[in-house]
Amino acid sequence: MAMVAVTISGCGGSNGGQTSDAIEDTGDRTTSSASPTTKAPAAPPAPRFTLPPDVTVEVESPDTGDAGKAAVLHDVEYSVKARIEAVAKGEGSTPHLSRYFTGSAFRYWNDKIEEKRENGETVAGTYRFFGLEVTELKGDVAAARFCEDQSAVYEKTRNTGEVRRDKPLETEVVQITLGAEKSDEGVWQVNRFSWNKGVPACERD
């Protein structure tokens, strides 16, 4: 199975050290033309996420060979980036979080992010995601899972900028299992999720 590694990081700029980074669509959207004068429809633009300079997201995106599953995984990938963007900003209801989460999943992250902001906490470091897989796809309902490594992500005090590098967010890789539903706009939104530690599929040497 072919894999595409995508790395997103913030970079310094004149707007307080943050710039928007375009997330390129990694799926295969090539279509054949019926004739030389027929043009394939343009792919929708990839969302743009804003990350601070000290936060990086690395995603290993699989080539599923299936257009339906690829569409689900595109939006699942965007959902994790939306969540990290919201944590970094300290805003529980960002446009991206509202776009890629719904129901109990949205409420959970909204509350969790607001709690971190009220406590003056944010994050710094590198998030790593791999093992993305669609486990079920029926009409407008899907299920997926992936592995999340936060061992190089640390608590950061928002006011002082102090990073506690002796305290990673999570020392074990966790497997996230989620459900998603397609919105009226055609976006796959995460509506529920759970996680487990010690899953063999997420273990790496």
Side-chain angles (χ1 to χ4, degrees):
M1 175 180 290
M3 304 291 291
V4 178
V6 179
T7 301
I8 293 80
S9 59
C11 52
S14 60
N15 58 342
Q18 295 183 352
T19 60
S20 296
D21 296 280
I23 312 305
E24 296 299 330
D25 194 335
T26 58
D28 181 4
R29 294 178 180 271
T30 303
T31 58
S32 58
S33 299
S35 69
T37 59
T38 303
K39 294 183 179 180
R48 299 177 66 88
F49 298 90
T50 302
L51 297 176
D54 56 359
V55 175
T56 301
V57 182
E58 298 179 355
V59 182
E60 294 182 9
S61 302
D63 181 3
T64 65
D66 180 286
K69 291 182 177 181
V72 174
L73 290 185
H74 270 114
D75 287 347
V76 168
E77 180 178 328
Y78 294 152
S79 75
V80 300
K81 294 167 184 172
R83 183 236 301 175
I84 295 167
E85 177 190 53
V87 171
K89 287 184 173 182
E91 299 176 13
S93 297
T94 64
H96 285 142
L97 198 74
S98 300
R99 179 174 177 82
Y100 294 104
F101 288 88
T102 190
S104 62
F106 174 81
R107 291 191 295 272
Y108 174 87
W109 285 116
N110 178 72
D111 292 346
K112 194 76 172 178
I113 292 165
E114 291 294 336
E115 179 183 351
K116 288 184 71 67
R117 181 184 60 78
E118 290 174 2
N119 292 335
E121 300 172 349
T122 184
V123 294
T126 300
Y127 289 84
R128 297 183 176 90
F129 299 90
F130 59 94
L132 281 73
E133 178 186 12
V134 175
T135 57
E136 183 179 1
L137 178 57
K138 294 181 179 179
D140 292 343
V141 177
R145 60 192 175 199
F146 58 83
C147 303
E148 178 171 349
D149 181 358
Q150 297 183 358
S151 62
V153 183
Y154 308 95
E155 294 283 359
K156 177 181 176 180
T157 302
R158 187 173 292 277
N159 290 339
T160 66
E162 179 184 1
V163 179
R164 296 192 56 182
R165 298 199 177 274
D166 61 330
K167 187 180 180 182
L169 291 190
E170 185 60 66
T171 57
E172 291 186 62
V173 178
V174 298
Q175 184 179 66
I176 307 293
T177 302
L178 61 87
E181 61 187 56
K182 186 182 287 188
S183 70
D184 293 340
E185 292 75 30
V187 176
W188 286 100
Q189 296 181 306
V190 177
N191 56 18
R192 65 185 186 280
F193 69 94
S194 61
W195 62 85
N196 289 289
K197 298 179 181 180
V199 178
C202 293
E203 294 178 359
R204 287 186 162 181
D205 298 330

